[in-house]
Amino acid sequence: MSFRKVVRQSKFRHVFGQPVKNDQCYEDIRVSRVTWDSTFCAVNPKFLAVIVEASGGGAFLVLPLSKTGRIDKAYPTVCGHTGPVLDIDWCPHNDEVIASGSEDCTVMVWQIPENGLTAPLTEPVVLLEGHTKRVGIVTWHPTARNVLLSAGCDNVVLIWNVGTAEELYRLDSLHPDLIYNVSWNRNGSLFCSACKDKSVRVIDPRRGTLVAEREKAHEGARPMRAIFLADGKVFTTGFSRMSERQLALWDPENLEEPMALQELDSSNGALLPFYDPDTNVVYVCGKGDSSIRYFEITDEPPYIHFLNTFTSKEPQRGMGSMPKRGLEVSKCEIARFYKLHERKCEPIVMTVPRKSDLFQDDLYPDTAGPEAALEAEEWVSGQDANPILISLREAYVPSKQRDLKVSRRNVFPDSRPAAAPSSARPGATGSAASIHTTVSSGSLAGAMEAGKLEEVMQELRALRALVKEQGERIGRLEEQLGRMENGDA
């Protein structure tokens, strides 16, 4: 009697990675040699930022994505820190704002000019001072505008309101040792952290309380990482007692035993996990490795399903991951990584092979957009909100520009629109009456044209309704055709 091995069905089983051509890489970048387990790279739909070697302080490069090829040694950098930069993170709600943490114990927030740097940037928009030792972690709140978390080697986690440059919360008694990493959950109500004492903690920052803790999540002494998944589970990477690299999945409701535990290999580079909440795929990159492994997380055992490995010849110094809204949806691209070599940055594209060139709804569910769901004050008052989602279908249409309209107010205190002046002052009635008189006399003069204007407006409304109806019909036909070509119908 023969048993045939059943292969698990998954649309991501055939995902393959491919490096771009040489002329699309960023050459001659002196990547930082600091011994710190950071990604050294951050990317968004407009810019690529890389921490670089700098004499007499700390600096990082910010390049427009289109500026590929060899980067001039004299290219301007962001160089306001007096010590090496350890971590950088782009603001999810403004593609021109980036935060950096440094060995000089400060956190700085920078506004990058719309078309990139033309001169060295030395003055941050906001300087945040509160740590007593070097700052190794900076990460923005996923849904609240202007909320930034920083963690330092003083074992303190600080949460800031960047708009007012004030410290909102100081968590200085929850970590007895060095913090390896911090990750917010989907709506930013909790964060999890991995610590040198081998514990994984789930923390409520507004109450300053420990929600859950697992001691010795991984028994090895080498650095580990913990990230929140979209459904509230926690995914960790670390080392066993025999120094084998491990992955584990935990339920914060019950941290006694991991839901799943897998051993990978016995390399010694720390594993950096990158998670895509839309596809539930985790990409694991080892520092010093030359490969990226990817796994699908599902609701049924064994929970963590190995998909494939992308391998190359060169080891990686660091890695950046592009947000979903910066991907080429017309090419079925589901992830793009920016791999740092010794002297260059190489984009690696992850693609699902599909015959159809139509928009693939199943690969691109609505994803987190650039609009903040909450203001900082609302989050502090106890409100929570999931990210505001946008459809990527529009990004597929070549005629529509994907450039984001950046609101400069994001980094400044006056982030709310001012109240209407007519209701602000008691003496406003006189001016309102005079305005009304002017408007009424003007409307008498233009009364003859009002009828014609109304006719044009009616025609325009009818035309708009017809275009919308046809657009919906085309969308439905495209979906049917896509399903037929993929063999789903």
Side-chain angles (χ1 to χ4, degrees):
M1 189 175 176
S2 64
F3 289 96
R4 188 165 59 86
K5 188 179 177 184
V6 178
V7 177
R8 193 182 71 87
Q9 286 299 314
S10 168
K11 64 186 106 166
F12 304 113
R13 213 174 76 216
H14 301 294
V15 169
F16 66 96
Q18 207 168 16
V20 300
K21 295 185 174 120
N22 274 342
D23 61 349
Q24 290 175 285
C25 293
Y26 305 84
E27 302 277 353
D28 219 11
I29 296 174
R30 302 184 304 283
V31 178
S32 174
R33 286 191 165 80
V34 170
T35 54
W36 182 255
D37 281 321
S38 158
T39 58
F40 290 150
C41 180
V43 65
N44 71 18
K46 290 184 88 167
F47 295 110
L48 165 71
V50 180
I51 302 174
V52 292
E53 284 288 294
S55 53
F60 58 95
L61 264 178
V62 175
L63 303 168
L65 287 186
S66 57
K67 189 166 177 55
T68 52
R70 187 179 167 278
I71 307 300
D72 195 330
K73 281 187 173 61
Y75 194 86
T77 57
V78 180
C79 51
H81 285 286
T82 56
V85 177
L86 299 179
D87 197 19
I88 48 177
D89 192 32
W90 286 106
C91 176
H93 308 126
N94 187 333
D95 284 343
E96 294 172 8
V97 171
I98 188 169
S100 58
S102 163
E103 280 193 12
D104 64 11
C105 309
T106 65
V107 176
M108 293 183 181
V109 179
W110 310 86
Q111 177 97 33
I112 306 299
E114 193 175 348
N115 298 315
L117 297 179
T118 53
L121 191 58
T122 56
E123 288 299 315
V125 179
V126 184
L127 171 64
L128 304 171
E129 296 177 301
H131 288 284
T132 56
K133 291 187 179 175
R134 60 185 183 165
V135 182
I137 298 165
V138 287
T139 178
W140 292 90
H141 192 284
T143 60
R145 194 192 317 278
N146 291 345
V147 176
L148 178 69
L149 179 150
S150 64
C153 294
D154 47 8
N155 311 335
V156 174
V157 174
L158 293 178
I159 295 170
W160 308 86
N161 181 346
V162 172
T164 57
E166 64 182 338
E167 189 182 294
L168 295 174
Y169 303 102
R170 173 178 285 265
L171 310 174
D172 52 9
S173 58
L174 297 174
H175 297 93
D177 212 330
L178 181 69
I179 303 164
Y180 286 136
N181 91 301
V182 171
S183 168
W184 291 100
N185 68 350
R186 181 83 164 152
N187 66 4
S189 58
L190 305 169
F191 67 79
C192 65
S193 65
C195 182
K196 196 174 180 180
D197 67 353
K198 302 181 187 175
S199 288
V200 169
R201 297 173 173 85
V202 177
I203 292 164
D204 183 332
R206 288 172 293 197
R207 291 194 176 92
T209 55
L210 201 59
V211 177
E213 181 178 10
R214 164 69 193 193
E215 295 176 3
K216 293 193 176 176
H218 295 277
E219 298 202 346
R222 298 186 62 78
M224 57 187 213
R225 298 246 159 178
I227 56 169
F228 258 118
L229 305 186
D231 61 358
K233 304 282 192 302
V234 174
F235 180 88
T236 61
T237 63
F239 292 80
S240 70
R241 193 180 294 163
M242 305 300 291
S243 287
E244 289 179 308
R245 298 198 289 192
Q246 294 178 321
L247 314 173
L249 186 66
W250 306 84
D251 182 354
E253 304 288 321
N254 176 20
L255 288 174
E256 290 300 311
E257 288 294 322
M259 294 169 66
L261 181 69
Q262 286 190 18
E263 292 194 343
L264 291 185
D265 54 31
S266 51
S267 294
N268 58 4
L271 291 168
L272 308 175
F274 295 90
Y275 172 61
D276 179 0
D278 302 333
T279 57
N280 246 16
V281 174
V282 175
Y283 302 85
V284 179
C285 315
K287 269 223 158 168
D289 287 10
S290 53
S291 63
I292 302 171
R293 294 180 177 89
Y294 32 109
F295 302 82
E296 188 175 2
I297 312 294
T298 60
D299 295 332
E300 68 275 349
Y303 304 110
I304 303 174
H305 302 273
F306 173 72
L307 291 172
N308 212 333
T309 305
F310 164 80
T311 49
S312 57
K313 293 174 185 172
E314 296 287 320
Q316 54 231 16
R317 296 283 306 279
M319 192 74 75
S321 172
M322 173 67 80
K324 217 48 178 293
R325 57 196 171 86
L327 301 180
E328 291 274 351
V329 295
S330 57
K331 296 178 181 171
C332 294
E333 182 184 359
I334 61 162
R336 191 189 311 152
F337 293 98
Y338 286 74
K339 172 179 170 176
L340 299 184
H341 298 244
E342 201 81 29
R343 300 279 296 187
K344 78 169 181 178
C345 176
E346 175 186 43
I348 293 162
V349 175
M350 297 286 178
T351 309
V352 176
R354 290 273 168 99
K355 288 178 184 173
S356 171
D357 59 355
L358 299 171
F359 180 75
Q360 306 291 317
D361 292 274
D362 59 329
L363 297 183
Y364 302 106
D366 289 356
T367 191
E371 192 55 48
L374 296 171
E375 296 294 335
E377 297 78 16
E378 292 171 329
W379 181 73
V380 170
S381 71
Q383 293 184 45
D384 290 317
N386 283 324
I388 295 175
L389 303 182
I390 57 168
S391 169
L392 292 176
R393 183 183 282 276
E394 299 306 313
Y396 175 79
V397 183
S399 60
K400 293 213 177 183
Q401 292 303 307
R402 255 189 296 168
D403 288 351
L404 293 157
K405 290 190 180 79
V406 176
S407 164
R408 295 270 173 188
R409 68 192 174 90
N410 280 13
V411 216
F412 299 106
D414 53 342
S415 59
R416 286 188 178 278
S422 59
S423 60
R425 299 184 310 278
T429 51
S431 60
S434 65
I435 290 167
H436 177 71
T437 311
T438 314
V439 169
S440 59
S441 62
S443 61
L444 283 168
M448 297 295 290
E449 293 177 356
K452 290 179 184 175
L453 186 63
E454 183 57 31
E455 276 180 41
V456 173
M457 290 300 290
Q458 280 180 355
E459 282 182 30
L460 195 61
R461 280 195 286 269
L463 196 61
R464 193 177 289 162
L466 184 66
V467 169
K468 186 183 176 187
E469 186 183 321
Q470 292 299 327
E472 288 172 356
R473 184 164 173 267
I474 289 167
R476 286 196 298 273
L477 289 170
E478 280 185 350
E479 283 175 27
Q480 286 175 11
L481 186 62
R483 284 201 295 272
M484 286 166 70
E485 289 190 351
N486 290 332
D488 295 343

